[in-house]
Amino acid sequence: MSAHRVVSATALLVIVLPVAGCGLFGSEPKPEDAARTFLSAFANGDTATAANSTDEAKPAKDLLDKTRAALKPTAVSATLDQTEVSSADSTTASSGYTVKWDLGGGRNWSYQGKLELRRAEKTWRVHFSPSVIHPKLQPQQTIALREQQPQPAPILDRDGSPLLNPEKVVAVLLDRKAAGDLPKVAGALAGAVSRFDKSITQQSVTDGASKVPEGQAYPVVTLRDADYQQVKGEIYDLPGVRFSSQTRLLPPAGKEFAAQVLPTVRKAVEDQIAGTAGWRVVTLNAGGTEVETLHEQQAQPAKAVTLTMSRGVQAAAEDALEPVKNAAMLVAFQPSTGDLLAVAQNAEADKGGPLALTGNYPPGSTFKVVTAAAVLQAGTATPDTVLPCPGTWTIQGRKIPNNDEFDLGNVPLHQAFAASCNTTFAELATKLPADSLTSAAKQFGVGVDFELAGVRTLTGKVPPAEPVVERAEDGFGQGKVVTTPFGMALVAATAARGSMPTPNLLRGAETKVVGAVAPPPPGIAEQLRPMMREVVTSGTAKKLNRLGEVHGKTGTAQFGDGTHSHGWFIGFRGDVAFAVLIVDSGTSGPAVDAAGRFLGAL
């Protein structure tokens, strides 16, 4: 028969404290008791107790401490498996064990091994060797955790072109103490990197470096790797200057692009585009060189996120606004799908935040699209109904003028719309119920709330107007009516489609709609489209007639003390609907010009 005998079957790990000088419950000490004590302390991070249960406490504790410091586990569990006593005099034994490490972030590692136990003077102890931690760990070796970060995935436009792409960037840092002659180093740095950021000067670098706490470095600038390579020779050896690199998602062409959308989208999908980090547990020799991989989990590549936006449409929108000095915004939709194609602002508008999406402004005469829809639904008039368009019209003491008080006499509704007769639409609005414009506006998206993945949006407010004067003012987009460029682009898209499209931005994400009502009755949009086309062929936006079959509506909206006006143009051509707003432009002319540049680029 074999000299080996099984002493204990598999058992859960439990700390058992034997009576001093005796074995368990006064019986002879058993090797599995020592194994349990070691494994329990090992799992609980009590390295002192674990080490003291071995025959070489000091080296055991050193290695146990190094291992836990390297792996930084969230939790460890250890299970005693089978113990066998060998040799005729029963002075040696071995215990199988299973260890499971939880390293956090879903990283789990488990393995099996054996403990060698030795008996001396009726006391069993774990014989120390590196294999008590892992069976493959050898003398003079330690364990280390290595992580592999996946490259973030790009954010793509509807056609697969990158809107944000992973690129290496280099941060240029300055330690003022190590710099020595700070002004001299600051001057050299500014001279080299100011070509990328004109605000960087010798004085700004000196001031910035002087304000950071002692021991910290001042971040001078972060450069794309291609830009860093241009100036590396000038700055690399400057005293006190050091560098760090990382990968970031950056817009194309080295400039801000869709600046009011992409940063918030990136934040919303950061987990999705980050992928899953890979990791390895390795052994290191005394010199710190990797010897063997004990466990490996490959990095899971990130998946690209696709937006409904079009890089080409966005570029056209941004270029159209760039020459404008006043704050300017442009939002574009695809009416057939509700896809948000572009959200553009110029630098002046960017100072106020995402105004294209959330900035409320009086819409002026662009709101006549909604008023006309309400009038057509009420049966008050048809596009061919002849109505008065006097230069001014007074109701309860409130004088309502046309622009420069032009007077057309009596004309069909479609002509009053094309010429933008405030007086005609003010009088028509007074013949509607108090909530008629509110309801019609919601049919076109104004007053509807959208929970749109990646961005926050507002569409505006059209409160019911009981006072007849207020109703008259609302009829041509003044009074208490306010809308956003996002909301008015939705109005244009609804006119093009015949029903309000649900806005989309992130492919695969559903938009929640709050406050939507039934679409305009069939035929309303069909009557509006020729009226909007006439605005371009013979009305207030004739400049755009050369650009194909453009439909639209101009708007001039007074604000403040009435001496200043915003300029609007909303419209559509084919399957692109849009709204342009130029703040405090005085007339709608600059908005029409920007729309022309936009459509011309498309």
Side-chain angles (χ1 to χ4, degrees):
M1 292 180 62
S2 170
H4 294 78
R5 59 188 176 91
V6 176
V7 175
S8 173
T10 300
L12 289 176
L13 186 63
V14 179
I15 299 178
V16 180
L17 299 177
V19 178
C22 301
L24 188 63
F25 301 112
S27 61
E28 284 294 317
K30 298 179 180 180
E32 59 263 38
D33 299 336
R36 282 195 189 94
T37 300
F38 174 81
L39 290 173
S40 179
F42 173 77
N44 292 327
D46 184 357
T47 57
T49 298
N52 287 332
S53 64
T54 71
D55 54 10
E56 292 188 69
K58 187 178 186 308
K61 188 174 189 308
D62 287 346
L63 188 57
L64 288 166
D65 286 340
K66 287 179 181 177
T67 301
R68 292 194 70 97
L71 299 182
K72 298 180 176 63
T74 300
V76 182
S77 65
T79 304
L80 181 64
D81 296 334
Q82 191 177 63
T83 300
E84 294 181 346
V85 178
S86 60
S87 79
D89 57 1
S90 301
T91 59
T92 62
S94 63
S95 291
Y97 67 83
T98 300
V99 175
K100 296 180 179 180
W101 294 81
D102 181 349
L103 304 179
R107 299 175 299 180
N108 296 293
W109 174 40
S110 64
Y111 53 87
Q112 294 180 316
K114 275 194 173 183
L115 300 176
E116 297 298 324
L117 297 116
R118 295 181 180 179
R119 182 179 181 183
E121 298 180 359
K122 297 185 178 181
T123 300
W124 285 96
R125 292 188 181 278
V126 174
H127 175 59
F128 173 71
S129 73
S131 63
V132 302
I133 294 175
H134 190 280
K136 290 187 176 182
L137 190 61
Q138 300 294 318
Q140 304 301 314
Q141 291 182 356
T142 54
I143 285 178
L145 179 64
R146 297 285 189 252
E147 294 188 348
Q148 175 190 0
Q149 294 298 330
Q151 181 165 281
I155 295 178
L156 307 176
D157 82 341
R158 62 193 297 112
D159 301 315
S161 296
L163 295 171
L164 291 176
N165 219 22
E167 285 192 41
K168 180 183 176 181
V169 297
V170 179
V172 181
L173 310 168
L174 175 60
D175 183 333
R176 69 169 183 270
K177 188 173 182 180
D181 189 342
L182 179 59
K184 181 179 179 181
V185 174
L189 274 175
V193 304
S194 60
R195 71 189 73 174
F196 309 115
D197 185 345
K198 297 187 184 303
S199 68
I200 298 176
T201 64
Q202 180 185 39
Q203 191 63 49
S204 72
V205 175
T206 302
D207 291 345
S210 299
K211 292 176 182 176
V212 297
E214 186 74 26
Q216 292 186 20
Y218 169 65
V220 179
V221 68
T222 298
L223 302 173
R224 294 175 188 251
D225 187 58
D227 293 337
Y228 166 69
Q229 296 301 330
Q230 292 183 37
V231 297
K232 180 179 178 180
E234 301 173 55
I235 65 177
Y236 190 79
D237 292 324
L238 291 174
V241 178
R242 60 177 188 260
F243 312 90
S244 68
S245 63
Q246 64 180 123
T247 300
R248 286 187 186 174
L249 286 176
L250 298 178
K255 68 173 186 176
E256 288 299 317
F257 194 75
Q260 299 302 330
V261 173
L262 293 182
T264 58
V265 168
R266 177 171 51 196
K267 186 174 182 180
V269 301
E270 58 187 356
D271 291 340
Q272 185 175 343
I273 61 177
T276 304
W279 57 283
R280 296 183 299 130
V281 182
V282 300
T283 57
L284 306 178
N285 63 21
T289 302
E290 289 187 17
V291 178
E292 185 176 1
T293 297
L294 303 180
H295 182 81
E296 181 173 13
Q297 182 69 49
Q298 294 286 348
Q300 298 300 310
K303 295 182 179 179
V305 168
T306 300
L307 303 186
T308 64
M309 296 179 71
S310 163
R311 182 169 168 177
V313 177
Q314 179 69 29
E318 293 190 0
D319 290 345
L321 301 181
E322 190 173 2
V324 183
K325 293 182 179 179
N326 293 26
M329 294 143 260
L330 192 157
V331 176
F333 281 103
Q334 184 179 44
S336 62
T337 62
D339 287 354
L340 187 58
L341 299 176
V343 178
Q345 298 186 173
N346 64 0
E348 189 64 25
D350 281 341
K351 295 176 182 178
L355 298 178
L357 298 172
T358 61
N360 276 311
Y361 300 87
S365 292
T366 57
F367 193 72
K368 289 172 183 171
V369 173
V370 173
T371 304
V375 167
L376 294 172
Q377 290 180 67
T380 307
T382 70
D384 295 322
T385 300
V386 176
L387 299 165
C389 175
T392 63
W393 182 66
T394 302
I395 180 170
Q396 293 185 2
R398 166 71 162 98
K399 180 181 177 182
I400 295 173
N402 289 332
N403 185 38
D404 294 330
E405 297 188 2
F406 70 83
D407 188 336
L408 297 183
N410 295 324
V411 294
L413 175 61
H414 64 82
Q415 186 177 343
F417 182 90
S420 204
C421 291
N422 294 338
T423 54
T424 304
F425 279 83
E427 184 175 1
L428 283 170
T430 63
K431 298 175 182 178
L432 297 172
D435 63 349
S436 181
L437 293 181
T438 306
S439 299
K442 282 194 171 184
Q443 292 175 338
F444 284 76
V446 176
V448 180
D449 292 326
F450 301 99
E451 293 183 12
L452 194 61
V455 292
R456 175 176 174 262
T457 63
L458 297 174
T459 58
K461 296 179 181 179
V462 184
E466 289 291 346
V468 69
V469 174
E470 185 178 310
R471 212 174 312 156
E473 292 174 336
D474 289 352
F476 60 102
Q478 296 283 176
K480 293 185 178 179
V481 175
V482 290
T483 60
T484 65
F486 177 87
M488 291 311 296
L490 202 53
V491 169
T494 303
R497 174 188 167 116
S499 62
M500 185 200 75
T502 299
N504 304 296
L505 175 59
L506 185 62
R507 290 281 188 239
E510 185 177 351
T511 299
K512 185 177 178 181
V513 183
V514 180
V517 298
I524 296 300
E526 283 80 356
Q527 296 178 77
L528 285 173
R529 290 183 201 121
M531 296 168 65
M532 295 178 71
R533 177 67 181 136
E534 190 175 343
V535 170
V536 178
T537 57
S538 60
T540 54
K542 287 184 287 188
K543 285 182 179 181
L544 304 180
N545 199 25
R546 59 185 175 81
L547 295 169
E549 195 170 341
V550 181
H551 300 68
K553 185 68 190 80
T554 56
T556 302
Q558 292 182 347
F559 68 97
D561 61 3
T563 61
H564 295 267
S565 300
H566 304 311
W568 286 87
F569 183 79
I570 69 170
F572 63 90
R573 184 182 68 183
D575 205 15
V576 176
F578 59 95
V580 181
L581 168 63
I582 312 294
V583 174
D584 199 12
S585 60
T587 72
S588 61
V592 172
D593 291 340
R597 291 190 292 271
F598 172 64
L599 292 171
L602 294 183

